Structures are given as structure tokens and as C-alpha cells.
């Protein structure tokens, strides 16, 4: 008897949290063979599991090496499920997002998770990586005609760079064309309002909803 959609999604979740990159492939294949929706498996199984791993890291129960092994399982599952996604961009041209960790910070686990989720949701992603020079956000946004710049940091000492990027957008004359969303441990909605960012998200799930709102998809 075939296992239920909910049971398989729970197993995907467990595989990511428990770093089982081989088992997750078998479960994802079983999920697809049963005819279940790939997007739900990604979001409710794989990504939810990675969110839990990130929480365990924040709570100092997991180390960086553990989170990397969790991400290996995430990517293994994504490789199976992603080709079976239905077209998420039915409204036309994909919206473009430039994403990166601001200069001075090399913590990119959260950024990577947001990138994966936005890609899965149909956004065209331009990942600048970590410790990104502030001017690079502007240059890339101009180059690709970006709809959103998404920035993150886990350090209070680098938060100010986010406000500097917004000022640089104004100086470049493209502030009205580019929405700015920010996130990371020390970031708050109050800080986003103070620097003039359009949005703030606490986690990767919220980031997808926010990006859709900012670009008029949702």
C-alpha cells in the first residue's frame, strides 16, 4: 500500500534534519511515483526540514558542519523534485532578485536557504555570495534590471551597510525601480523602516511571501 502524501513529506523533513542524503532520494522518488505535487514536497518537506536545521543551529544544538550535511540532503531531494515542478511563472517574465550577504559578514546559511526557496517559487536569482561589497549590489541590479535586492547579515556591525545600499540606489537614480528586502538575526521590522527598506522577513518562508508581495505576484 502506497504511503500517504503527508507521511512521505514528514520523512523528507526527517531526512533533511537527520542529514540522510541517500534516503531522501528514495523517498522523493516514491513521492513522485505516487503522483504527489513536487512543490508541496519541496516546501513542506525539504525546506521545512532545512528551516528546522537552521533553528537548531541558532540554538547551538547543531554546528556549521551539521547544517552543511543537512543542506546536502536538501539539495539531493531538490535534484529529484525540482524537474517536476509545474510552471510557477504563469504571469509572464520572471522577476529578478539580486541576493547577497553584506560586506563584512560571511554567514550565508540563511541567505542560501532564501535563494533556494525563491528559485523554487519561480524567481530569477543572481547570487552575489557573502561578504559582498556594497557597490556590487547596485552594479548587479543595474546590469540585470533587478526587481528586488535581498540582503542579509547576522552581525550588528554590518547592518549599517544595508542602509548604505539604499542610499546608493538613490544616488544611482534607480531607487524607484528596485525594492529592497532584508533579513538576518539582528534585523527587525523597525530597522527596515528606519533605513527605508520595503520589507523584512524573519525566515525563508516569509521571504517568499514578501518577494511575491513586493513584485505584485501575490
Amino acid at each position: 500500500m502506497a504511503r500517504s502524501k503527508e507521511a512521505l513529506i514528514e520523512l523528507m523533513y526527517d531526512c533533511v534534519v537527520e542529514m540522510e542524503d541517500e534516503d531522501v532520494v528514495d523517498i522523493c522518488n516514491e513521492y513522485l511515483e505516487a503522483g504527489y505535487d513536487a512543490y508541496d514536497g519541496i516546501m513542506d518537506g525539504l525546506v521545512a526540514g532545512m528551516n528546522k536545521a537552521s533553528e537548531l543551529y541558532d540554538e547551538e544544538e547543531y554546528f556549521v558542519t551539521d547544517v552543511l550535511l543537512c543542506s546536502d540532503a536538501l539539495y539531493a531531494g531538490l535534484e529529484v523534485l525540482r524537474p517536476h515542478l509545474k510552471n510557477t511563472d504563469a504571469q509572464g517574465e520572471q522577476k529578478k532578485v539580486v541576493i547577497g550577504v553584506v560586506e563584512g559578514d560571511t554567514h550565508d546559511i540563511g541567505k542560501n536557504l532564501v535563494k533556494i526557496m525563491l528559485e523554487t517559487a519561480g524567481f530569477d536569482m543572481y547570487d552575489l555570495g557573502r561578504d559582498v561589497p556594497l557597490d556590487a549590489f547596485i552594479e548587479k541590479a543595474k546590469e540585470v534590471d533587478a526587481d528586488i535586492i535581498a540582503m542579509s547579515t547576522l552581525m550588528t556591525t554590518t547592518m549599517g551597510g544595508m542602509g548604505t545600499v539604499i542610499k546608493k540606489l538613490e544616488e544611482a537614480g534607480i531607487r524607484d525601480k528596485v525594492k529592497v528586502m532584508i533579513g538576518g538575526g539582528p534585523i527587525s521590522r523597525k530597522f527596515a523602516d528606519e533605513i527605508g527598506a520595503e520589507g523584512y522577513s524573519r525566515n525563508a518562508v516569509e521571504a517568499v511571501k514578501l518577494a511575491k508581495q513586493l513584485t505584485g505576484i501575490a
Side-chain angles (χ1 to χ4, degrees):
M1 181 178 172
R3 287 188 275 196
S4 70
K5 178 179 179 180
E6 292 72 21
L8 290 170
I9 283 176
E10 186 174 346
L11 286 171
M12 287 182 212
Y13 174 97
D14 290 341
C15 280
V16 173
V17 175
E18 294 166 13
M19 313 168 211
E20 301 288 351
D21 60 326
E22 293 183 7
D23 290 348
V24 77
V25 170
D26 294 335
I27 292 162
C28 288
N29 280 319
E30 181 182 342
Y31 181 87
L32 290 174
E33 287 164 11
Y36 301 135
D37 183 71
Y39 184 80
D40 291 341
I42 290 171
M43 301 300 278
D44 299 336
L46 301 176
V47 170
M50 196 65 211
N51 269 329
K52 179 61 177 179
S54 297
E55 287 176 18
L56 291 170
Y57 174 74
D58 290 340
E59 293 164 3
E60 299 184 351
E61 290 187 40
Y62 272 16
F63 300 103
V64 171
T65 49
D66 298 318
V67 175
L68 291 174
L69 289 170
C70 292
S71 68
D72 285 345
L74 169 75
Y75 282 115
L78 281 175
E79 197 169 320
V80 176
L81 295 182
R82 192 180 272 163
H84 297 272
L85 282 172
K86 297 168 185 171
N87 182 13
T88 55
D89 190 34
Q91 288 132 341
E93 185 180 355
Q94 284 181 302
K95 300 298 184 181
K96 299 173 182 176
V97 180
V98 173
I99 190 169
V101 181
V102 293
E103 189 169 20
D105 191 350
T106 59
H107 301 88
D108 62 356
I109 293 169
K111 183 270 295 178
N112 291 341
L113 186 54
V114 170
K115 176 194 170 187
I116 290 166
M117 291 193 63
L118 287 175
E119 279 180 337
T120 300
F123 287 87
D124 195 1
M125 301 301 296
Y126 297 86
D127 186 4
L128 300 180
R130 56 191 184 179
D131 192 15
V132 179
L134 304 182
D135 285 330
F137 286 103
I138 313 304
E139 292 163 7
K140 195 66 178 180
K142 289 163 69 175
E143 177 192 332
V144 304
D145 194 21
D147 298 284
I148 293 175
I149 288 178
M151 296 179 283
S152 70
T153 185
L154 282 182
M155 300 169 61
T156 55
T157 53
T158 55
M159 289 168 59
M162 295 174 165
T164 302
V165 168
I166 291 175
K167 290 176 183 173
K168 287 179 178 290
L169 283 171
E170 293 168 354
E171 292 166 5
I174 58 171
R175 180 67 187 96
D176 58 335
K177 296 179 181 178
V178 183
K179 306 294 186 185
V180 175
M181 51 188 281
I182 61 175
I187 306 301
S188 65
R189 192 170 303 282
K190 180 182 177 187
F191 177 72
D193 292 340
E194 286 173 357
I195 65 172
E198 278 81 10
Y200 149 75
S201 60
R202 290 177 300 170
N203 55 50
V205 175
E206 282 191 8
V208 174
K209 294 176 184 175
L210 176 60
K212 287 183 173 182
Q213 290 169 358
L214 292 179
T215 55
I217 295 175

